[in-house]
């Protein structure tokens, strides 16, 4: 799911990205939008549980959890669901490769 073809990149570069830049400025939208909003949703508990449906190989969720922990000191636990075999197998491989980084 996170591997997009050329039409996605073309539309993103010409239509989506300029609109995001106009609202948020040129920034890393992952950390400046998603991570900040998720960390704020944790409130004072400093722990957040998120259900991600259609998560593919969970690479975005793993990256978000790392950024949220590093930048906001909030523990974000994602429960990922993707009905495709490719998503499940990709997530299994990715998590197995990163297992030593998890606490």
């Amino acid at each position: 799911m996170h591997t997009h073809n050329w039409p996605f990149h073309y539309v993103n570069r010409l239509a989506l990205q300029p609109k995001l830049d106009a609202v948020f400025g040129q920034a890393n939208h992952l950390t400046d939008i998603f991570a900040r909003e998720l960390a704020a949703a944790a409130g004072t508990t400093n722990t957040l549980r998120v259900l991600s449906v259609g998560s593919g190989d969970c690479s975005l969720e793993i990256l978000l959890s790392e950024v949220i922990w590093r930048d906001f000191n909030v523990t974000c636990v994602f429960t990922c669901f993707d009905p495709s075999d490719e998503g499940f197998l990709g997530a299994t491989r990715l998590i197995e490769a990163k297992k030593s980084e998890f606490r």
Side-chain angles (χ1 to χ4, degrees):
M1 174 175 169
H2 298 290
T3 306
H4 303 292
N5 55 18
W6 71 267
F8 167 81
H9 292 289
Y10 180 78
V11 170
N12 181 53
R13 186 169 33 93
L14 292 180
L16 302 175
Q17 195 64 47
K19 290 179 181 179
L20 287 172
D21 290 345
V23 174
F24 299 103
Q26 289 186 335
N28 182 340
H29 298 294
L30 177 66
T31 56
D32 288 353
I33 300 170
F34 297 119
R36 180 177 29 133
E37 293 300 319
L38 286 170
T44 58
T45 64
N46 288 341
T47 301
L48 181 66
R49 295 188 174 278
V50 178
L51 173 62
S52 180
V53 178
S55 55
D57 67 357
C58 303
S59 59
L60 178 61
E61 292 78 5
I62 290 171
L63 179 59
L64 273 172
S65 65
E66 292 169 345
V67 169
I68 292 168
W69 174 253
R70 183 192 68 221
D71 293 352
F72 302 99
N73 200 28
V74 171
T75 301
C76 191
V77 179
F78 283 93
T79 299
C80 298
F81 173 76
D82 193 291
S84 71
D85 291 339
E86 295 83 17
F88 177 76
L89 293 173
T92 302
R93 285 190 295 273
L94 186 60
I95 290 170
E96 201 54 44
K98 294 184 77 61
K99 191 181 277 186
S100 63
E101 296 178 32
F102 288 93
R103 12 177 212 109

